[in-house]
Amino acid sequence: MAELLYRLGRFCARRAWTVLTVWLVILALSVTGYFAFGGVLSSQVNIPGTATEEVSGKLAERFPSASGGNGAIVFHTADGSAFTDAQRTGITDLLVSTRDLDGVANTVDPFATAGQLAEQRAQIDDGRKKLDAGREQVAALPAAQREVAEQQLEAQATTLDQSQQLIDMSAKVRTVSEDNTAAVAQVVFTEARLDVTPETKESVVDHVGAGVPDGVEAEFSNDLTQGVPEILGVGEVAGVVIAAITLMIMLGAIVAAALPIVSALVGVGIGVTAALSLSGVVEMLSITPVLGVMLGLAVGIDYCLFILNRHRRQLLDGVDLHESIGLANGTSGNAVVFAGSTVLVALLALNVTGIGFLGMMGTVGAICVAVSVLLAVSFTPALLSLLGTRILSRKARATIGHTHHRQGPSTPMSTGRAVLTVIGGLAVLLVIAVPALSMRLGLPDGSSEAEDSTQYQAYKVIEEKFGAGVNGPLLVVADNPQPVTEQARVVGEQVRIADVLLAQKGVVAVAPIGQSEDKTLFAFQVIPEDGPSSSSTEQLVRDLRDLSPLPTDVRLGVAGSASGNIDISEQLADALPGYLGLVLGLSLIILIFVFRSILVPLTATLGFILSLFATFGGLTAIFQWGWLGGVFGVHDPNPVLSFLPTILIGILFGLAMDYQLFLVSGMREAYAHGASARLAVRQGVHAGRTVVVAAAIIMIAVFGGFIFSNTAIIRSLGFGLAFGVLTDAFLVRMLLIPAVMHLLGRSAWWIPRWLDRLLPNVDVEGAALERRHPTVTSDKG
């Protein structure tokens, strides 16, 4: 591989303009493919086969009027006064006109609903008066007729009592607030929740926003306003700027600092647009391209930097330009290919989880990483050839061909320092990881959005005026084995089921929605006590499902957005241990091949576990507990994003192995060249620390820029990746691993002879190629 990359580097250096033209054509084709074949990105996280999905399918088949997607519009007066008659009429007319929009099946007028409830109560009162009058008339009838009439009156009385019970059970399901300052309207779509297009939602938001009566403001729930998140904002640009400053400090030349950033931007352009070209034929989550941008920028800059840094040192040693490019590609480029391969394996392994959108995110991320690797070993050599010695500062160019001594350490670290480093490092990582013991997984709701967003305002108005549970109502479906046709039996069955539902802990109100056309399904709206992402609502969903079957073999199912989010989070949590085990197994196998050792891979894998759980602890403390919320924009703590731990495992594993490779391979080579095992540890760290520190800072800056996104999902993803790189690169790879390697001494490189004979020789850094060119000073020099 090293020899092949050496030849590729020299070829790209000699045919620089041809190589650049090819890559620009590829970029143009990718962008064209995106505009020609790109489809609509989904804002809804979905996993087929969940219990919620099953109930939704049953509703679509047998109760279509209750199966369409919906979203809430919260109308409230701007000055906090009660609605005027003109405002109420204006809102009603606006909702009537909204029904005519494409994709809208119906709208529910909150004032009409409140009026209907009042009318139902009046009808019951009127019915009781008529019943009393009937009893007086029956008393005057002959005995034979009186008995039959009394039975009919008792049946009517029972129906009235049951109707009163239903009204009382649903008393807290309000559509207009008690102070008459806020009202919640529902928009019902013709398609199921996951099938409603962004264009349909946007048309509703635009229509309602333009027609709101004077003095009234309209806020829209997450179900109506979720869209494609912003890929590049101020924070992301700031991250790239910090990366550029880091490169300037390290390389000392503007041209050299610009090269990795240009390479990364080209890679992002190709990788993301190529991946988005697939969105027309496969379902793709809206956050997927953002992950591609994150990875493409971070690894694109780092991989180019590794080759560039090697080439600059060789130029200073007086190596011919094209020869230096070839050697840098064959040595550091070889390490880049291997490092990129570990990231690719980890990302593609997300497909093994069996969760479609996770596999797609991993695949898109892998495409961007693969493009970054290919650019690093071809595009970078071409640019290096065109730039020549301008990648060196003017002062450095004056010293080309002079002897550049890079004296490494001559004594190992003290054993006492190594022991203290291990104890201190473990203590810090374990303390940071403690919050992970209470980590809960979930999907963001309106309270996670930016405080000035309409989703957040809608959530808070509902919470304040109607109760937190109204933000996440549950749809409970009761499936009867036999049709219920008689009206009296229908009301009686509704009361019986509603009574069981209301008795559950955490239920505030239960309201019957209706009955399916085949008379076998009853639908109920259940209002929880707390919000959709609370632990009590999660437990309530489990409790309601555990009730099934009720007496008479009635089976209950739970649907709705809150239920769907809970199911998705549970399924992701179930897939997490298996994926982690797969990644750890891969880690051990890959590192045994690379380092021909048992203990080195074991310590590397244990270090990854420590940094991973420390990352989980940081996420939990900030996003779930709300620590430092003001710094990271967490105003309403919520569960950790459900698919974030799985994504972090894949990405952080690949990056951790990169740092392990660049540091420990230096130790291995120093040891192979005759240094003692403990001295080799210091020499390896000394040789690789500058580029690893710079690479880590660049990744932290790029990932950290996404922390300040307006989208809750991107904020937590950016923080998780930045914090994960921080803990792994600086605490684990730069401190803990060298200290452990020192304490292990020669035993770190032990491997059974039979296994050593079976393993192929993996020359990761192209040492054999380097030995064939003795004029080149080693990285470990």
Side-chain angles (χ1 to χ4, degrees):
M1 175 64 78
E3 186 66 33
L4 178 63
L5 289 170
Y6 167 77
R7 293 177 182 175
L8 176 63
R10 286 186 62 88
F11 172 83
C12 293
R14 291 194 304 268
R15 303 284 188 272
W17 284 113
T18 302
V19 172
L20 294 182
T21 301
V22 169
W23 277 112
L24 290 176
V25 169
I26 292 173
L27 175 60
L29 290 174
S30 297
V31 173
T32 302
Y34 164 63
F35 285 111
F37 305 110
V40 177
L41 298 178
S42 172
S43 59
Q44 301 282 355
V45 178
N46 179 43
I47 299 179
T50 61
T52 297
E53 189 94 351
E54 182 181 342
V55 174
S56 298
K58 187 182 295 185
L59 283 169
E61 179 184 349
R62 297 160 60 186
F63 200 171
S65 61
S67 66
N70 64 83
I73 305 174
V74 183
F75 296 99
H76 62 100
T77 55
D79 58 2
S81 60
F83 288 116
T84 64
D85 291 340
Q87 289 171 338
R88 292 164 68 101
T89 301
I91 292 172
T92 298
D93 293 341
L94 180 59
L95 291 172
V96 169
S97 64
T98 303
R99 295 172 192 166
D100 298 329
L101 298 176
D102 290 339
V104 176
N106 193 19
T107 57
V108 180
D109 181 0
F111 304 111
T113 302
Q116 289 168 1
L117 290 173
E119 185 179 339
Q120 289 173 2
R121 291 189 180 94
Q123 288 175 350
I124 291 175
D125 291 340
D126 186 55
R128 292 190 186 282
K129 292 177 182 178
K130 292 180 178 178
L131 191 63
D132 291 338
R135 285 186 175 127
E136 293 177 0
Q137 294 175 1
V138 166
L141 293 175
Q145 296 178 3
R146 187 167 62 246
E147 183 177 353
V148 175
E150 285 177 347
Q151 290 177 352
Q152 293 175 344
L153 289 175
E154 287 304 316
Q156 294 175 15
T158 300
T159 300
L160 286 174
D161 289 341
Q162 290 174 338
S163 298
Q164 184 65 55
Q165 283 181 269
L166 289 177
I167 289 178
D168 293 341
M169 290 178 183
S170 61
K172 294 185 179 180
V173 184
R174 303 183 61 91
T175 55
V176 180
S177 63
E178 292 183 1
D179 60 4
N180 198 30
T181 62
V184 180
Q186 294 291 332
V187 178
V188 182
F189 298 104
T190 55
E191 300 292 336
R193 181 174 69 99
L194 296 173
D195 298 325
V196 181
T197 64
E199 290 80 9
T200 300
K201 295 178 182 179
E202 287 172 11
S203 68
V204 171
V205 172
D206 292 342
H207 177 76
V208 173
V212 177
D214 291 337
V216 176
E217 296 178 355
E219 311 294 351
F220 303 91
S221 70
N222 253 3
D223 293 320
L224 289 175
T225 52
Q226 284 183 338
V228 178
E230 184 181 61
I231 292 181
L232 283 177
V234 175
E236 293 81 354
V237 173
V240 175
V241 170
I242 294 173
I245 294 172
T246 303
L247 289 169
M248 271 292 299
I249 294 172
M250 178 186 176
L251 302 174
I254 295 176
V255 172
L259 194 152
I261 294 177
V262 171
S263 178
L265 291 175
V266 172
V268 167
I270 294 173
V272 173
T273 54
L276 287 174
S277 299
L278 303 174
S279 61
V281 293
V282 295
E283 185 175 342
M284 192 176 292
L285 202 62
S286 57
I287 193 179
T288 303
V290 179
L291 179 64
V293 171
M294 285 184 180
L295 287 174
L297 283 175
V299 302
I301 293 173
D302 280 0
Y303 291 167
C304 179
L305 173 63
F306 294 145
I307 297 173
L308 170 63
N309 190 54
R310 178 64 175 260
H311 172 59
R312 280 164 49 89
R313 292 203 305 270
Q314 291 169 173
L315 283 181
L316 289 173
D317 287 335
V319 180
D320 173 72
L321 177 66
H322 287 183
E323 178 69 4
S324 177
I325 292 172
L327 286 170
N329 219 41
T331 51
S332 293
N334 194 38
V336 163
V337 170
F338 185 83
S341 299
T342 62
V343 181
L344 286 175
V345 168
L347 289 171
L348 291 174
L350 285 168
N351 289 279
V352 179
T353 62
I355 298 174
F357 78 88
L358 268 185
M360 180 54 62
M361 291 179 74
T363 300
V364 170
I367 290 173
C368 292
V369 171
V371 170
S372 297
V373 171
L374 292 174
L375 279 164
V377 298
S378 59
F379 185 80
T380 298
L383 283 179
L384 290 175
S385 176
L386 294 176
L387 294 173
T389 58
R390 283 176 292 172
I391 61 167
L392 300 172
S393 65
R394 186 172 300 176
K395 181 179 179 181
R397 289 199 294 269
T399 66
I400 290 178
H402 296 187
T403 301
H404 296 272
H405 295 287
R406 288 181 290 275
Q407 187 63 41
S410 58
T411 58
M413 77 170 76
S414 68
T415 300
R417 177 185 171 187
V419 170
L420 289 176
T421 300
V422 170
I423 294 173
L426 286 174
V428 171
L429 288 167
L430 291 175
V431 168
I432 297 174
V434 166
L437 297 173
S438 63
M439 184 171 69
R440 290 179 54 240
L441 300 181
L443 290 171
D445 54 30
S447 64
S448 302
E449 301 298 333
E451 290 182 287
D452 59 352
S453 67
T454 186
Q455 305 101 298
Y456 182 81
Q457 297 301 322
Y459 188 97
K460 285 302 180 181
V461 171
I462 290 176
E463 184 178 64
E464 178 185 352
K465 300 292 185 178
F466 301 92
V470 178
N471 278 304
L474 302 175
L475 179 61
V476 177
V477 175
D479 193 349
N480 284 264
Q482 299 295 329
V484 182
T485 55
E486 297 177 11
Q487 182 58 30
R489 287 188 57 207
V490 168
V491 176
E493 189 69 6
Q494 287 178 327
V495 169
R496 185 178 73 87
I497 297 171
D499 192 50
V500 173
L501 299 178
L502 190 61
Q504 302 308 302
K505 182 180 179 181
V507 175
V508 171
V510 178
I513 295 175
Q515 190 181 18
S516 63
E517 294 179 1
D518 62 6
K519 307 299 182 183
T520 59
L521 280 183
F522 290 91
F524 299 85
Q525 186 183 57
V526 175
I527 305 299
E529 184 176 357
D530 298 314
S533 60
S534 66
S535 57
S536 62
T537 301
E538 184 178 336
Q539 185 59 47
L540 175 59
V541 171
R542 295 194 187 97
D543 292 343
L544 291 173
R545 287 171 175 164
D546 290 342
L547 290 173
S548 188
L550 298 176
T552 68
D553 292 330
V554 173
R555 297 192 171 275
L556 298 181
V558 184
S561 59
S563 169
N565 290 348
I566 290 169
D567 286 346
I568 290 170
S569 299
E570 287 185 349
Q571 193 154 337
L572 287 166
D574 292 341
L576 189 61
Y579 179 63
L580 179 59
L582 174 65
V583 167
L584 295 181
L586 288 171
S587 170
L588 286 170
I589 294 171
I590 291 172
L591 292 178
I592 288 173
F593 268 82
V594 173
F595 296 115
R596 308 182 80 83
S597 164
I598 298 298
L599 293 180
V600 170
L602 188 60
T603 55
T605 303
L606 291 175
F608 167 65
I609 293 174
L610 286 170
S611 61
L612 179 68
F613 280 94
T615 303
F616 290 170
L619 281 168
T620 304
I622 289 173
F623 290 92
Q624 184 176 314
W625 292 2
W627 290 7
L628 300 177
V631 176
F632 296 99
V634 182
H635 40 75
D636 291 72
N638 271 298
V640 173
L641 181 64
S642 55
F643 56 83
L644 184 54
T646 310
I647 289 289
L648 288 179
I649 288 172
I651 297 175
L652 293 180
F653 161 74
L655 300 180
M657 294 308 102
D658 286 0
Y659 301 135
Q660 181 79 9
L661 169 68
F662 284 105
L663 285 173
V664 181
S665 61
M667 301 176 194
R668 180 172 179 263
E669 187 168 342
Y671 180 65
H673 287 173
S676 67
R678 290 180 171 175
L679 178 58
V681 171
R682 280 201 72 192
Q683 290 182 345
V685 172
H686 177 79
R689 66 187 177 188
T690 301
V691 70
V692 168
V693 167
I697 290 174
I698 289 168
M699 286 213 175
I700 292 168
V702 171
F703 294 146
F706 288 85
I707 295 175
F708 304 100
S709 167
N710 288 328
T711 304
I713 292 178
I714 297 177
R715 279 202 306 271
S716 58
L717 181 58
F719 174 84
L721 290 172
F723 191 73
V725 170
L726 175 67
T727 56
D728 192 88
F730 291 102
L731 288 179
V732 175
R733 307 301 154 188
M734 295 291 291
L735 291 177
L736 201 57
I737 291 297
V740 171
M741 292 287 289
H742 174 91
L743 296 176
L744 290 175
R746 291 182 58 187
S747 61
W749 305 108
W750 173 83
I751 187 172
R753 291 183 179 179
W754 63 268
L755 181 58
D756 189 44
R757 289 193 297 269
L758 289 175
L759 293 177
N761 186 26
V762 181
D763 185 13
V764 175
E765 285 203 330
L769 179 68
E770 187 179 75
R771 286 193 293 271
R772 291 199 292 274
H773 298 267
T775 58
V776 181
T777 304
S778 169
D779 276 354
K780 320 303 174 294

